[in-house]
Every structure is written in C-alpha cells, then in structure tokens.
Amino acid sequence: MKKQHIVYLSLGSNIEPREQNLQTAIELIRKHYEVRNELLISPIYESDPWGFQTEIKFLNLCIQAQTEKTPQEILKINQYIENELGRKPKKTDKYESRPIDIDILFFDNQIIYTEELIVPHPHLEKRRFVLFPLNDLICNLLHPVLLKTIKELKEICTDVSEPKRY
C-alpha cells in the first residue's frame, strides 16, 4: 500500500455559478485524488479580488485531503479540473477572473521548489482570503518555512481585505 499524504488546497471562484464551480471542483478532487477518507472542507468566504480589480467578488474555501498522489500528480489533476470547469490559459502575467482556481498550499510537511511547483504556496501568508478558511480548518498547522501556525500568520497578515463568511 502506498503512503497516504495530507494535502491542503485553496479553491476560489469569481465567475458564476461560483458556488457550483466550487462544489464541482470538490467532487472532481474527491474522484481524481482517489480520496478514501472524507475531505475536510472549510466554510466558504467571500472576498474582494487580490492583485487585480473586478466587480465580482471571489468565493474561497480550503480543503484537507488524504491521497496517495504525488505533488506533481496533484498539480496535473488541479490543472485538469480547472480546464474542465472552463478556466482559460492566461494571456498575461496578471491575475484575472476565473471560474475556478486550485492552489496547493501544503503537502505533508514538505518544502518543494521546482520550476512548476512551489510548496508551501509562496503567497499564502499574504492572503487573508486563504488564511481565514485555512484557520477554520486547521489553525495549529505549522508553516514549515516560516515556523508560525496558521493562526499566527492570520494575526500578523498585512493584507487589509476583510473576507466574510458566505
């Protein structure tokens, strides 16, 4: 039997139907990650876009999943799910609206730094829209690089946005 890994994900959507996009992504994650145990899913938060301007707010949540998949397999699955839900390839380096965005926040306690994947996610400590739902899910998780818990990162985050429970 292969080793079970714990992965934490951030999901976001700001193209309607936002809630359905999140739900479909969760179902596809359960299927393609071959999750045997129940997923842990945070409450949904609504927040302003981060890094760009648009009228439509994002819905965000975090997930904890147990899987035998490798980080590279998870990345490919996430990209497949994003494409299935209508995400188009980016035309520029700038952030933009999207039906679904799936980011790997943590993979076990590993530090991964490759050309295609950086884990822990390189911006999670700067994003309240990630820290709020992640804190609801697992506030005492220790960031393996910053050596602070999610709760501590949330408390010192300089992001001024105010995510609201949806």
Side-chain angles (χ1 to χ4, degrees):
M1 185 172 175
K2 286 179 153 181
K3 181 181 181 339
Q4 286 284 311
H5 301 284
I6 296 177
V7 61
Y8 291 92
L9 306 170
S10 173
L11 280 66
S13 175
N14 82 323
I15 293 179
E16 294 295 345
R18 299 176 304 166
E19 289 175 71
Q20 184 59 51
N21 290 337
L22 292 174
Q23 190 57 46
T24 302
I26 290 167
E27 291 165 13
L28 291 170
I29 286 167
R30 187 176 284 117
K31 175 184 172 187
H32 292 289
Y33 282 34
E34 298 172 6
V35 173
R36 290 197 192 114
N37 301 335
E38 194 57 38
L39 295 173
L40 296 180
I41 304 170
S42 76
I44 296 173
Y45 281 81
E46 188 171 50
S47 62
D48 291 324
W50 191 89
F52 74 106
Q53 297 294 318
T54 184
E55 296 296 312
I56 305 165
K57 292 183 182 273
F58 273 85
L59 292 184
N60 298 95
L61 58 80
C62 289
I63 293 175
Q64 178 201 68
Q66 291 185 26
T67 182
E68 294 178 353
K69 302 293 184 191
T70 67
Q72 291 73 22
E73 289 171 324
I74 289 170
L75 178 63
K76 285 185 177 29
I77 291 167
N78 292 352
Q79 291 168 340
Y80 167 80
I81 293 169
E82 289 173 343
N83 289 336
E84 279 294 298
L85 292 177
R87 183 161 178 183
K88 305 288 185 235
K90 288 173 67 170
K91 297 181 177 110
T92 68
D93 291 353
K94 297 185 178 358
Y95 292 109
E96 53 195 32
S97 294
R98 47 210 174 267
I100 196 71
D101 183 46
I102 307 170
D103 288 331
I104 302 170
L105 302 176
F106 296 102
F107 184 87
D108 290 337
N109 203 25
Q110 293 185 28
I111 300 168
I112 303 165
Y113 196 87
T114 66
E115 193 171 309
E116 57 277 333
L117 182 61
I118 300 172
V119 176
H121 190 283
H123 301 297
L124 80 91
E125 75 276 7
K126 301 173 193 162
R127 297 174 169 178
R128 290 169 61 107
F129 70 85
V130 172
L131 292 170
F132 277 51
L134 190 57
N135 185 70
D136 288 345
L137 201 59
I138 185 151
C139 63
N140 292 323
L141 179 69
L142 188 67
H143 191 296
V145 175
L146 302 175
L147 301 178
K148 293 190 182 319
T149 65
I150 299 307
K151 182 178 180 186
E152 290 170 325
L153 292 173
K154 180 183 169 214
E155 289 170 359
I156 63 173
C157 182
T158 58
D159 178 4
V160 296
S161 70
E162 285 297 326
K164 303 269 190 273
R165 274 205 188 187
Y166 186 69

